[in-house]
Amino acid sequence: MTTNENTSASVPTSGPASVPPSAVTARRLGVTGPSVFPLGLGCMGMSALYGEADRAESLATLHAFLEAAPEGMNTLLDTGDFYGMGHNELLINEALRTAPAEARERALTSVKFGALRTVEGGFTGYDGRPEAVKNFLAYSLQRLGRDHIDIYRIARVDPGVPIEETVGAIAEAVQAGHVRHIGLSEVGADTLRRAAAVAPISDLQIEYSLISRGIEDRILPTARELGIGVTAYGVLSRGLISGHFSRDRALAPGDFRGMSPRFQGENLDRNLDLVEALRKVAGDKGVSVAQIAIAWVLTQGPRRGVDLVPLVGARRRDRLTEALGALRVELTEADLAAIEAAVPAGAASGERYPAAQMAHLDSEH
């Protein structure tokens, strides 16, 4: 389960998810983290928050992703123990059990924990106490059917527990062999420093896209300074800048986007105007809107000196194939200037979460 960083490797030349060898170079998650395929798969949508998902298609998509990476290169599956109240971890368990042995052995799991849920699906807070860390971990290992988790992180900082205590508990799990690497999620620069003073941090998982660029000022420079990688989620802003979302789209009951400020009223209209500007740039390049948006994020690691792996939230094989196509897209400085002129920093209308959830984001304070 090892790979040489910064070396290109061959990939299958057939199949819906194949990409050319020149497009695939492993990316390391920080100084201490693992090397992985340059795109990770965010699995949340297969179990929660975007309406019903087709189980068979979800499993097929997971298998396609695992087999898209070259032989010997690790893949990264990102989940949370609260995605569908454990459903997502069980789904990943099934996908790994039924995947080819070689693909299964190089699959890495990244798990978020700590979110407290109600029977009705509501969120009531976060628990980062050391005893809670051990409890959450035990259940995740059982659901995943694994003896360790590759990267373990609290989903949001528990305001009642110093981050040093939470990270210290994960560090104990590393020493015990139950966890390989420590990650963080949605923390600001100051918290990142405090956590890194306790134990090595592999990566920070945080939202980053053309329309969510707030981390560029302090958080990315701090990650670079500390040798911490970044796994960027929301690179298509929950489908908003995928090129597939329309003003008249009917959302399923319980779909998170139904209460997301960026998908509401005039905010949605203004944001989709940005997408249309981006569509023109993508068309001139001969690629899709989603591909140019993902490709832009892929360039930001090298541009900013940060080890960065975008997470794509595909839950269907056709969407996965489209996302993998971003690895073929080479952006020149002129292309980057055109993209950023179409979607300038700070141009998005509306916050990325409702107010109550924004309050839980240490990264925003």
Side-chain angles (χ1 to χ4, degrees), residues 20-91:
S22 60
V24 182
T25 302
R27 294 191 172 190
R28 181 173 292 282
L29 291 177
V31 173
T32 63
S35 290
V36 297
F37 189 62
L39 290 177
L41 184 63
C43 303
M44 182 187 74
M46 298 177 182
S47 299
L49 298 182
Y50 294 129
E52 291 294 325
D54 183 295
R55 184 179 185 85
E57 182 61 25
S58 294
L59 289 168
T61 302
L62 283 159
H63 287 157
F65 174 73
L66 294 174
E67 295 182 52
E71 184 176 351
M73 187 179 287
N74 296 328
T75 51
L76 184 67
L77 299 175
D78 183 76
T79 185
D81 62 10
F82 51 94
Y83 292 169
M85 282 74 160
H87 177 277
N88 205 237
E89 290 178 320
L90 292 169
L91 185 73

Side-chain angles (χ1 to χ4, degrees), residues 29 39-47 62 65-66 75-83 88-89 91-92 107-113 144 149 151-153 155-156 183-185 203-206 231-234 309-314:
L29 291 177
L39 290 177
L41 184 63
C43 303
M44 182 187 74
M46 298 177 182
S47 299
L62 283 159
F65 174 73
L66 294 174
T75 51
L76 184 67
L77 299 175
D78 183 76
T79 185
D81 62 10
F82 51 94
Y83 292 169
N88 205 237
E89 290 178 320
L91 185 73
I92 289 172
L108 307 185
T109 53
S110 167
V111 179
K112 291 178 290 298
F113 70 90
L144 288 167
I149 289 170
I151 309 174
Y152 202 51
R153 68 187 90 234
R156 300 288 186 267
L184 294 167
S185 177
D203 69 297
L204 167 64
Q205 188 172 123
I206 197 162
T231 41
Y233 76 90
V309 173
L311 301 173
V312 295

Side-chain angles (χ1 to χ4, degrees), residues 231-276:
T231 41
Y233 76 90
V235 294
L236 296 179
S237 196
R238 299 163 185 82
L240 181 58
I241 60 172
S242 68
H244 301 298
F245 203 90
S246 62
R247 287 175 172 83
D248 59 355
R249 179 169 174 175
L251 297 174
D255 191 314
F256 166 82
R257 292 168 292 191
M259 60 179 182
S260 171
R262 289 185 175 174
F263 288 83
Q264 305 302 311
E266 293 182 359
N267 286 345
L268 178 61
D269 290 338
R270 288 194 289 268
N271 291 331
L272 289 180
D273 286 342
L274 296 174
V275 175
E276 290 310 306

Side-chain angles (χ1 to χ4, degrees), residues 97-117:
R97 283 189 292 104
T98 54
E102 194 275 336
R104 179 173 61 249
E105 288 302 313
R106 54 191 172 85
L108 307 185
T109 53
S110 167
V111 179
K112 291 178 290 298
F113 70 90
L116 304 176
R117 306 290 304 269

